[in-house]
């Protein structure tokens, strides 16, 4: 049921604001960036700002560059490795057999 409150959902001082109240906005440049998936994004920058070489694509998250024909390569993601995979990178099978034999000898009380 609606009450008689006419300003429901608005705040005090709300209303149309123009440049007269906010001041003039800085001059802007819209620069196009393209990612490797062909997405184009056009962020706006202040005319005196330093323009970055790459920009993150808001659609896919890949890096985007200013050259449409030669966009930056997508980042290479490494697959998840288990602890055992890291151990196998550091140790050979012979090292693993020696460590296992030593641990078993300790458990058996031979050492």
């Amino acid at each position: 049921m609606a009450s008689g409150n006419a300003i429901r959902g608005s705040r005090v001082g709300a209303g149309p604001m123009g440049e007269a109240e906010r001041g003039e906005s800085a001059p802007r440049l819209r620069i196009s960036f393209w990612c490797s998936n062909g997405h184009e994004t056009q962020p706006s920058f202040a005319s005196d700002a330093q323009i970055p070489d790459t920009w993150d694509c808001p659609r896919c998250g890949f890096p985007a560059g200013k050259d449409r024909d030669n966009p930056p390569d997508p980042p290479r993601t490494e697959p998840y490795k288990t602890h055992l995979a890291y151990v196998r990178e550091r140790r050979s099978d012979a090292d693993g057999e020696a460590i296992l034999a030593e641990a078993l000898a300790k458990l058996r009380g031979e050492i």
Side-chain angles (χ1 to χ4, degrees), residues 87 91-106:
V87 170
R91 307 229 187 242
S92 67
D93 288 341
D95 290 341
E97 291 293 330
I99 292 170
L100 178 62
E102 182 182 338
L104 289 173
K106 281 184 183 178

Side-chain angles (χ1 to χ4, degrees), residues 14 27 36 81:
S36 60
K81 287 185 184 179

Side-chain angles (χ1 to χ4, degrees), residues 4-60:
N5 191 351
I7 61 169
R8 181 177 180 156
S10 62
R11 67 187 197 312
V12 175
M17 289 179 51
E19 287 191 5
E21 291 183 29
R22 287 192 308 246
E24 290 198 30
S25 58
R28 299 275 175 189
L29 295 174
R30 293 191 72 82
I31 306 294
S32 293
F33 289 89
W34 288 273
C35 71
S36 60
N37 288 334
H39 302 139
E40 179 184 12
T41 183
Q42 291 184 329
S44 64
F45 298 95
S47 62
D48 59 348
Q50 184 177 3
I51 309 297
D53 292 331
T54 60
W55 192 262
D56 289 338
C57 177
R59 291 179 64 189
C60 63

Side-chain angles (χ1 to χ4, degrees), residues 74-78:
R76 189 168 164 247
T77 56
E78 294 288 328

Side-chain angles (χ1 to χ4, degrees), residues 80-91:
Y80 174 76
K81 287 185 184 179
T82 63
H83 176 68
L84 181 59
Y86 284 112
V87 170
R88 285 187 175 160
E89 285 180 1
R90 294 191 317 265
R91 307 229 187 242

